Amino acid sequence: MREKKEGANIMNHLVRHIPSIHELQQTNQFHTFLHHHHLSMERGTDLLKQVISICRASILNEDWDGPHPSSTDFIDEVVGQTDVLTRKFHSLSLRRIINATGTILHTNLGRARLGQETMNHVMAASCHYNNLEYDIDEGVRGSRHSHAERLICELTGAEAAMVVNNNAAAVFLILTALAKQKEVIVSRGELVEIGGSFRISSIMEESGALLHEVGTTNKTHLKDYDEAVNDETRMIMKVHQSNFVIKGFTATVQTEELAELSRMHSNVHYYEDLGSGALYDFTRLGIVNEPMVKSVLDKGADIVSFSGDKLLGGPQAGIIAGQKGLIDQLKKHQLARVLRVDKMTLAALEMTLLQYIKGEEQEKNPTIRAITRPKEEILHQSRKFVEDVQGLGIGYTSSIIEGQSQIGGGTMPDVELGTYLVAVSHPLFSSQDVHEKLRKGKPSILTRIQDNVALLDLRTVSMDEQMEILHALKNIQGTD
Ligand SMILES: *Cc1c(COP(=O)(O)O)cnc(C)c1O
């Protein structure tokens, strides 16, 4: 008790020696600092005050191990810390990552990467004025919807289309504009949650549409839907089970059957939330199970929606396609204005879609390219990498093993793509160390850890990035 009190007294005493803000403002150190960062006295003082208050708290908390507050070292220390704080404020938060995890679409890593040609179009449209809402031929106001609509219609066979902020927004808009205060029939097996923050049931509640659940988690039959239709029904909705698979004793109703059922009731629309929505035919490569948007519309869906940055490999967006009458209702709704996309998104989407139309997606779309990369090509790249790692001559051992890449992003959960992995280890560092040092480097490099080995999947790594990984491995000793 007594000791504690004495300790507190000493601390109070120390705190009293902290120079005043006014005194610190006069120092050479502070002036050099202001000059270096081109800061005003006011802004610099603000930052300085933040540091002083942290120092004061630390002294009072008895964990201050810096110089005595009355010393010149103390001034160096606080101005130095203010400098560190300023650098932190002035650095960008979004940083580049080299993804060697083998997960192609990672929601935490920004999902789809955009290709060079796509980014060139975004640059051209964004650094200059553009015809976002202007009709150049007629010299009158144009529609923002026009840019992507033609391409979506051509690729999906839909009568009309529009683009909103993301697929969650698309679901929300469709339910609000077409089914508010009315019933929407959904199978219990499809009431999915995606990424912990998007639940069909919650979105529906927010939209004002009334959820009418039918069937059970593993089985829903056509007669369940049929019996559920009543005067209040406005929509039958099918939600694509994108991030999980129900196996075993299951039954779901096919698109054709649900489309036919809805056609028997004049006021009931049939909507499919496709989640990913493939425009590329993955079945060609034996990567099965993902319905193509066009085939779902051909089978009779009135309206569909899907994400721009999942399997499509474009920017974050929600794409809605289907009957013109329904799309027109959506375009006119006030929410369409709330959920509308920016010119950068439209530019990226337009180029992404155009590449599909020209059949260039496998070559130019990084997501499609990564998914369809031949295994032998990854093996070849991995061999070169192993050679280069050995060539560093600083004790690394590396070898190639077979493994699996994941598509990720809540798509095709049961599909695994055969790949080769490079296992890297160092005599002085644990694999956890290697993994962490690479992660904390610049750029950040993400690897997998499996059975205490750091593994790199080069499927999503370019040759330039591979050189950067080598460089990071070479300098690993100097990093902490
Ligand atoms: C991913 C997904 C969504 C949400 O799409 P975002 O583009 O992430 O908003 C909605 N429904 C399904 C079935 C999905 O898979």
Side-chain angles (χ1 to χ4, degrees):
M1 186 70 201
R2 181 150 173 198
E3 260 174 37
K4 182 102 192 165
K5 200 164 178 184
E6 264 170 27
N9 275 336
I10 292 168
M11 291 310 144
N12 282 334
H13 171 76
L14 268 186
V15 161
R16 265 187 271 124
H17 282 85
I18 296 177
S20 71
I21 294 295
H22 179 73
E23 282 171 88
L24 289 166
Q25 281 174 329
Q26 312 302 318
T27 60
N28 284 336
Q29 291 94 319
F30 187 66
H31 279 275
T32 309
F33 155 76
L34 285 184
H35 185 74
H36 182 81
H37 292 285
H38 309 288
L39 292 177
S40 67
M41 177 60 91
E42 202 183 353
R43 176 75 184 130
T45 305
D46 246 13
L47 292 158
L48 180 67
K49 280 181 182 168
Q50 291 183 38
V51 170
I52 289 293
S53 89
I54 293 166
C55 292
R56 185 189 306 275
S58 163
I59 291 171
L60 289 173
N61 202 29
E62 301 185 22
D63 56 15
W64 176 255
D65 57 3
H68 192 281
S70 64
S71 64
T72 38
D73 283 353
F74 182 82
I75 296 169
D76 289 340
E77 174 71 20
V78 292
V79 175
Q81 284 189 23
T82 311
D83 185 72
V84 170
L85 185 69
T86 308
R87 281 174 204 276
K88 216 161 142 186
F89 275 151
H90 289 186
S91 63
L92 292 169
S93 166
L94 266 177
R95 283 164 55 186
R96 182 160 75 92
I97 285 179
I98 295 177
N99 175 11
T101 64
T103 300
I104 298 165
L105 293 168
H106 201 302
T107 301
N108 302 147
L109 307 183
R111 288 203 188 148
R113 281 185 294 168
L114 298 177
Q116 194 56 54
E117 191 182 41
T118 300
M119 283 320 296
N120 290 347
H121 188 46
V122 174
M123 288 273 285
S126 309
C127 300
H128 304 276
Y129 295 106
N130 57 63
N131 62 336
L132 183 64
E133 291 188 357
Y134 184 69
D135 183 330
I136 292 175
D137 288 337
E138 304 293 326
V140 295
R141 188 188 166 143
S143 163
R144 174 184 301 253
H145 295 301
S146 66
H147 307 286
E149 181 165 22
R150 174 182 66 88
L151 302 173
I152 298 166
C153 290
E154 194 162 327
L155 287 162
T156 64
E159 283 174 14
M162 71 183 287
V163 181
V164 291
N165 208 16
N166 54 21
N167 190 30
V171 175
F172 186 62
L173 175 60
I174 289 168
L175 293 175
T176 307
L178 304 180
K180 196 170 189 151
Q181 308 296 321
K182 295 289 177 185
E183 288 187 9
V184 177
I185 303 174
V186 187
S187 158
R188 287 201 171 83
E190 296 170 3
L191 290 171
V192 295
E193 172 171 313
I194 296 138
S197 60
F198 177 83
R199 275 191 189 173
I200 291 292
S201 53
S202 315
I203 289 265
M204 199 170 291
E205 208 167 294
E206 291 292 334
S207 76
L210 310 169
L211 173 62
H212 190 144
E213 299 175 33
V214 293
T216 60
T217 307
N218 60 333
K219 281 199 165 197
T220 306
H221 303 282
L222 184 59
K223 79 168 174 14
D224 296 323
Y225 287 95
D226 194 21
E227 286 166 10
V229 178
N230 63 61
D231 289 346
E232 296 303 306
T233 308
R234 184 52 44 86
M235 185 177 278
I236 296 172
M237 178 179 183
K238 188 179 181 66
V239 183
H240 197 68
Q241 300 172 346
S242 37
N243 56 354
F244 67 101
V245 189
I246 297 178
K247 283 189 173 148
F249 190 59
T250 65
T252 54
V253 185
Q254 299 305 308
T255 296
E256 294 93 327
E257 298 173 284
L258 290 176
E260 194 184 326
L261 177 62
S262 84
R263 270 199 301 274
M264 283 158 42
H265 303 271
S266 60
N267 248 336
V268 178
H269 309 300
Y270 178 50
Y271 163 40
E272 278 199 28
D273 170 10
L274 296 173
S276 229
L279 294 183
Y280 182 90
D281 187 4
F282 291 100
T283 52
R284 271 191 280 171
L285 298 141
I287 308 168
V288 282
N289 225 357
E290 195 63 31
M292 303 256 305
V293 178
K294 187 172 185 333
S295 81
V296 173
L297 286 166
D298 285 348
K299 286 175 184 167
D302 297 324
I303 191 164
V304 299
S305 72
F306 51 98
S307 292
D309 56 353
K310 288 184 182 171
L311 281 181
L312 190 74
Q316 179 192 303
I319 299 165
I320 305 171
Q323 285 175 2
K324 185 164 185 320
L326 299 179
I327 302 286
D328 281 346
Q329 266 176 271
L330 300 182
K331 284 179 182 170
K332 274 191 237 135
H333 198 278
Q334 277 301 310
L335 261 183
R337 174 67 173 77
V338 176
L339 305 173
R340 80 178 188 187
V341 292
D342 173 62
K343 58 184 174 292
M344 289 194 275
T345 302
L346 279 174
L349 186 62
E350 183 183 29
M351 186 56 86
T352 303
L353 294 170
L354 194 60
Q355 288 168 352
Y356 278 98
I357 287 189
K358 292 168 144 181
E360 297 173 344
E361 71 274 20
Q362 204 162 344
E363 171 198 350
K364 292 181 175 170
N365 184 315
T367 301
I368 304 299
R369 197 170 52 213
I371 295 174
T372 59
R373 259 190 103 178
K375 216 177 145 190
E376 303 70 52
E377 194 184 297
I378 300 169
L379 177 62
H380 184 77
Q381 187 180 346
S382 302
R383 284 196 177 127
K384 166 91 175 77
F385 184 62
V386 165
E387 254 172 52
D388 289 347
V389 170
Q390 309 296 8
L392 291 175
I394 48 174
Y396 282 107
T397 49
S398 58
S399 57
I400 298 174
I401 59 170
E402 291 211 41
Q404 305 287 334
S405 308
Q406 297 266 328
I407 293 183
T411 55
M412 302 203 245
D414 53 345
V415 172
E416 291 199 317
L417 304 169
T419 193
Y420 290 95
L421 303 165
V422 180
V424 176
S425 50
H426 189 282
L428 298 181
F429 303 107
S430 70
S431 52
Q432 189 62 38
D433 270 350
V434 173
H435 172 81
E436 269 184 35
K437 282 167 185 285
L438 291 177
R439 189 184 79 227
K440 290 180 182 168
K442 276 184 186 157
S444 173
I445 298 162
L446 299 190
T447 62
R448 270 196 239 172
I449 289 271
Q450 200 173 296
D451 301 330
N452 213 22
V453 185
L455 298 172
L456 290 88
D457 186 338
L458 300 177
R459 179 186 287 276
T460 52
V461 175
S462 71
M463 287 316 285
D464 287 345
E465 289 175 328
Q466 188 159 318
M467 294 311 289
E468 290 182 278
I469 298 175
L470 267 180
H471 189 75
L473 287 172
K474 188 174 162 195
N475 294 316
I476 206 158
Q477 246 149 335
T479 58
D480 61 335

